[in-house]
Amino acid sequence: MEKVSVFGAGSWGTALSYVLAQNGHDLLLWTHRAEQAEEINNHTNNRYLKNIQLPETLKATADLKQTVGHSDVYVLAVPTKAIREVCANIKEHLNKKALFVHVSKGIEPDSLKRISEMIREEIPEQWIEDVVVLSGPSHAEEVVLEHPTTVTAACENTKSAERIQDLFMNNYFRVYTNTDVIGVEIGGALKNIIALAVGITDGLGYGDNAKAALMTRGLAEIARLGVKMGATPLTFSGLSGVGDLIVTCTSVHSRNWRAGNMLGKGKSIDEVLEEMGMVVEGIRTTKAAYQLSQKHDVPMPITAALHAVLFEDISTDEAVERLMGRMKKNEMEDLINLL
């Protein structure tokens, strides 16, 4: 048994806390809302996980200092846009080294930082034992039903990745390890862009042909950018690449697919976000990925088309026309270049 602190009581933070509690660890879950902590301590979190009974050993608090002091393993399960603020607040209470684990999937616009880079910028190196990424095809709604799920713990230090593997792994939650932090973070973040695009085509009434095309060519441009940034090509054929892409583009649980579906049916971004009531990481990540594609001079036509819809006020129909009207090319060109 280990002591573990989880920061962020949304659906994913709660689901991972469920796993840790089921595994017998001494778990403390932090939320910034006292009323939510009280509800979790009464074994439900209905805003995020309806009709789920949480383990009695899953304890929550709104006291950040208490949560920081509880352990030396910190699982950050907050949206990308909140990472810096939460880390800055954690820093104020640190008095020992901690192993940081982040489970969010995004890239910061403008700075173009991955989440592990943001953590290392906000937390002084003297307090960081290591930073591990936990990512893969995993919907919270299915994890708390104990449906079989597989994810990857990525860290350049294999021992740190294996420690997180041991913390989380059980008979329904299987954890692999990987040393390619860049690839795992890029794959986890950019698949949300493709899921938004797939949702749009579904909303427009297109069928499986369009979905297959977007997922296949989407993976190609994710890998193209990731490799340019230093990732290993094979990572994108794994859980945090094609695996995460499949689940996010095809599941009704996917926030990004649902948001895209509403956009395809004619709703505005503001209407979509108001109706969703939760963070849609793909919208923010589209801006960052578009900036990265320009910085690294990497062609990313699907990302560019979605960026035009979200931030340049072009119609979804026009974006589809742009994609389909591109110059002809060899399908294997990307693979040849990657290899």
Side-chain angles (χ1 to χ4, degrees):
M1 184 184 77
E2 286 203 52
K3 290 188 172 184
V4 185
S5 302
V6 177
F7 297 84
S11 56
W12 193 220
T14 306
L16 291 174
S17 298
Y18 179 102
V19 173
L20 290 166
Q22 290 280 66
N23 288 358
H25 300 301
D26 184 354
L27 181 283
L28 188 60
L29 172 61
W30 173 80
T31 168
H32 63 89
R33 294 190 291 117
E35 64 274 16
Q36 187 184 22
E38 183 179 354
E39 183 194 352
I40 292 170
N41 288 328
N42 286 313
H43 318 310
T44 62
N45 189 5
N46 280 319
R47 178 180 175 185
Y48 295 98
L49 295 169
K50 291 186 182 299
N51 304 318
I52 295 298
Q53 188 74 11
L54 301 175
E56 292 187 7
T57 53
L58 199 170
K59 304 298 182 184
T61 181
D63 186 331
L64 185 70
K65 183 177 180 180
Q66 178 189 3
T67 311
V68 172
H70 177 75
S71 79
D72 62 356
V73 179
Y74 300 154
V75 179
L76 303 181
V78 297
T80 305
K81 67 180 181 180
I83 287 286
R84 289 193 186 275
E85 179 184 356
V86 170
C87 284
N89 291 334
I90 288 173
K91 178 176 65 176
E92 299 301 315
H93 305 294
L94 286 170
N95 57 19
K96 61 183 181 298
K97 281 199 173 215
L99 178 59
F100 286 81
V101 185
H102 87 73
V103 301
S104 304
K105 298 173 180 178
I107 298 169
E108 187 175 46
D110 302 325
S111 78
L112 306 183
K113 299 290 185 179
R114 292 174 286 110
I115 295 174
S116 61
E117 295 175 310
M118 295 161 62
I119 293 170
R120 290 190 181 277
E121 284 187 353
E122 295 298 326
I123 304 291
E125 197 62 34
Q126 70 189 87
W127 303 124
I128 297 178
E129 178 184 330
D130 232 327
V131 178
V132 179
V133 185
L134 189 69
S135 186
S138 47
H139 286 308
E141 296 86 351
E142 296 182 9
V143 170
V144 294
L145 293 175
E146 302 185 15
H147 291 176
T149 301
T150 55
V151 297
T152 296
C155 184
E156 293 178 5
N157 183 341
T158 301
K159 287 186 177 180
S160 295
E162 288 175 345
R163 184 180 177 191
I164 299 309
Q165 182 182 45
D166 291 340
L167 273 179
F168 281 96
M169 193 155 160
N170 60 30
N171 64 348
Y172 63 87
F173 197 80
R174 182 170 178 80
V175 184
Y176 292 84
T177 59
N178 194 326
T179 57
D180 183 13
V181 174
I182 295 174
V184 169
E185 286 188 302
I186 291 297
L190 269 59
K191 54 89 184 180
N192 287 328
I193 299 172
I194 308 306
L196 270 171
V198 168
I200 287 174
T201 60
D202 284 342
L204 288 168
Y206 299 152
D208 293 338
N209 293 353
K211 184 178 297 186
L214 281 172
M215 290 173 65
T216 306
R217 298 310 302 168
L219 183 63
E221 66 180 60
I222 291 171
R224 198 183 300 136
L225 177 64
V227 170
K228 190 70 176 283
M229 294 175 65
T232 302
L234 286 176
T235 296
F236 300 104
S237 67
L239 290 170
S240 57
V242 66
D244 214 352
L245 185 68
I246 290 170
V247 79
T248 311
C249 290
T250 62
S251 174
V252 294
H253 296 311
S254 170
R255 298 179 198 176
N256 291 280
W257 179 89
R258 296 203 319 266
N261 191 252
M262 287 186 238
L263 288 170
K265 290 178 178 177
K267 294 190 176 182
S268 68
I269 294 180
D270 291 339
E271 289 172 328
V272 168
L273 293 177
E274 183 177 353
E275 187 169 332
M276 293 286 293
M278 292 186 285
V279 173
V280 180
E281 288 280 16
I283 293 175
R284 199 165 182 262
T285 304
T286 298
K287 182 178 181 180
Y290 180 72
Q291 292 173 333
L292 278 170
S293 71
Q294 293 184 312
K295 175 182 177 180
H296 293 285
D297 193 24
V298 173
M300 298 181 70
I302 298 172
T303 300
L306 187 59
H307 185 275
V309 170
L310 296 176
F311 303 109
E312 300 167 29
D313 200 30
I314 78 160
S315 70
T316 52
D317 289 325
E318 184 180 345
V320 172
E321 288 179 12
R322 287 188 185 182
L323 280 173
M324 295 303 292
R326 293 175 63 240
M327 290 180 63
K328 60 186 181 180
K329 62 181 295 188
N330 187 314
E331 183 191 8
M332 292 295 104
E333 182 180 328
D334 288 322
L335 182 60
I336 292 167
N337 290 337
L338 289 177
L339 294 178

